[in-house]
Amino acid sequence: MVKIVLEKDQQLLTHSPLYRFTTENSEEPNVVTILQQPSAEAYQPFSISKKQGNIYFDLWSYSFAIQLKQVLQAHDTVKGVLRLRRTTNKFSYIKEDILALSEWFGDVRNVTVRSNKGGEMHYTIVLCEFGDSIMAHLEYKSGNARIEFEWSSHLHIVEFDSLQMSSDKDNNRNLFKNIDAIVQFAIMWNEYYDEKLSTIQQLLQRGEQ
Amino acid sequence: MNIGIMSFAHIHATSYASAIQRIPDTKLTAIYDTDTKRGKEASAEYDVPFFADMDLFLAENIDVVLICSENVLHKEMVIAAAKSKKHILCEKPIATNVEDAKEMIEVSKENGVHLSIAYPVRYSAPICDLKVAIDAGELGEIVAIRSTNRGQNPGGWFVDEQLAGGGAVLDHTVHMVDIMRWYMNSEAKEITAFANNYFTELKTDDAGIMTIIFDNGVIASHDASWSRFPQFPTWGDVMIEVIGTKATRKVDVFSENLHLYGKGNKSLTHLYSGNDTDFDLIVDFLKAIRHGEKPLISGYDGLKSLEIALAAYESNTRKQAVKL
């Protein structure tokens, strides 16, 4: 039995033969109960959670993250170049993404944030480093949800684009949540994450100067 | 029009020499090289005299020189050619430091010759089409730019900082920041960057990323590297995306291609099918000289893009933003 909180504008992939998906509260095994309100016993999205219990990051809640994690585990994740771009109307993802990325790539440091706006278009570029030898560009652009991700390291390059890499572009489900990714990559929130989040917020503020 | 090539150190020298052979009323008349073996091979290949002495070479009846030497030799060759009243197309980067670049521009001006820098990306058809769209206002006001120039490790003198003046950041930044400047008619005012050795065991940097702020407020990200390995389907990319208030347009020069699948070391190869930018660059440069007009790309363009690449190194060293 898994309970999961989904934000209103999010959808879950429900093709798994392992689970029955329902919005009814259920205690049966192999049932995923989808909730829309925060609930302490459920997997909750970082964005609307009260920062307690099982928290999942948006970035690592999609199918691509499962494959990506396997690639990263098989190869060097100490040295390389990380590039993430989100097209979104929620720029609050910035701190969440940095926290999510730091889980996989090491602590963030040397943060610079630059933004520009024209009409309805906002654009933010975060330049930073993770761990000892990873440099990263995280970019945020106004518009309908899209994730572009690239990781380049010695003799390995992995790329993902939620808009382009789809089986059916008229029925693109790349940004539907994947229950296995959520369960696999969720963290149990504790004081360590409170401190980490606070540090990231300070680095982002300082990085704007 | 008589053309001389000064050095075949840069791989573009061969494509320029081939271009000259295809252009009517244009003749490759002499080759000079600091490497006698390399110069003699080129001389045999193109059936033109080779000169190991730069003064003797410049005394020839030559209207234009194309300089394709190691980067550190650009200054010496440009100044000598300018004093001999030859018009000059010099490989990028214009120089390895700002002072040399300024001197090269000044001496060319004093001697009444044109100094142009080889930025063939300006001649890519989709890059030109995007320029037209921007100028026509189709994208609205530009808010941000995103670009990449990631290729394979070129090896040879390119990876020797004493001869190249830098690594991947110098090699692969100047093209795209030149396009940014050209698209916007605006200059960079702040650069923040990281550069290091991420993909190879080279002594020089093989990758760098930077955030650039322009005078008009536009912000840009650029990724420069030698991160592509020989098994990669293509040499690399030359990509620019312009984000405007009305539209966003993205161009990757090398995306005009055929996909060839095969057995062996490389299962997929991208066969480039776009226009020959080296050829178009040479044609346009020689046309400008023939008609007494200013070439599209000036020495000043070379200077401004060099300043950005060097500021990226400075930012990486100081771990802070560098103002220009």
Side-chain angles (χ1 to χ4, degrees), chain A residues 72-126:
Chain A
L72 295 175
Q73 281 172 339
H75 304 292
D76 178 22
T77 53
V78 176
K79 229 177 177 186
V81 182
L82 178 62
R83 303 180 79 232
L84 165 70
R85 183 166 67 173
R86 269 189 191 267
T87 307
T88 179
N89 291 316
K90 272 172 62 178
F91 278 42
S92 56
Y93 276 130
I94 295 175
K95 63 176 184 291
E96 178 183 342
D97 285 346
I98 291 177
L99 185 56
L101 289 164
S102 69
E103 279 290 287
W104 288 17
F105 293 98
D107 286 342
V108 68
R109 59 200 177 91
N110 293 326
V111 179
T112 306
V113 185
R114 295 293 181 263
S115 299
N116 192 25
K117 183 187 172 191
E120 299 296 310
M121 177 59 71
H122 292 234
Y123 205 94
T124 292
I125 303 172
V126 179

Side-chain angles (χ1 to χ4, degrees), chain A residues 10-81:
Chain A
Q10 300 285 354
Q11 295 188 70
L12 187 70
L13 287 169
T14 54
H15 287 64
S16 172
L18 292 178
Y19 306 107
R20 184 171 68 82
F21 296 87
T22 177
T23 54
E24 303 295 320
N25 208 340
S26 171
E27 301 297 327
E28 291 173 36
N30 301 329
V31 171
V32 176
T33 303
I34 303 165
L35 310 170
Q36 289 203 334
Q37 297 300 322
S39 168
E41 73 274 25
Y43 288 90
Q44 302 178 85
F46 174 91
S47 54
I48 60 168
S49 73
K50 290 179 179 168
K51 308 294 180 291
Q52 55 187 17
N54 284 306
I55 304 294
Y56 68 88
F57 300 115
D58 182 83
L59 188 62
W60 301 147
S61 64
Y62 301 109
S63 302
F64 86 91
I66 296 172
Q67 281 287 0
L68 175 64
K69 184 68 174 174
Q70 287 176 8
V71 171
L72 295 175
Q73 281 172 339
H75 304 292
D76 178 22
T77 53
V78 176
K79 229 177 177 186
V81 182

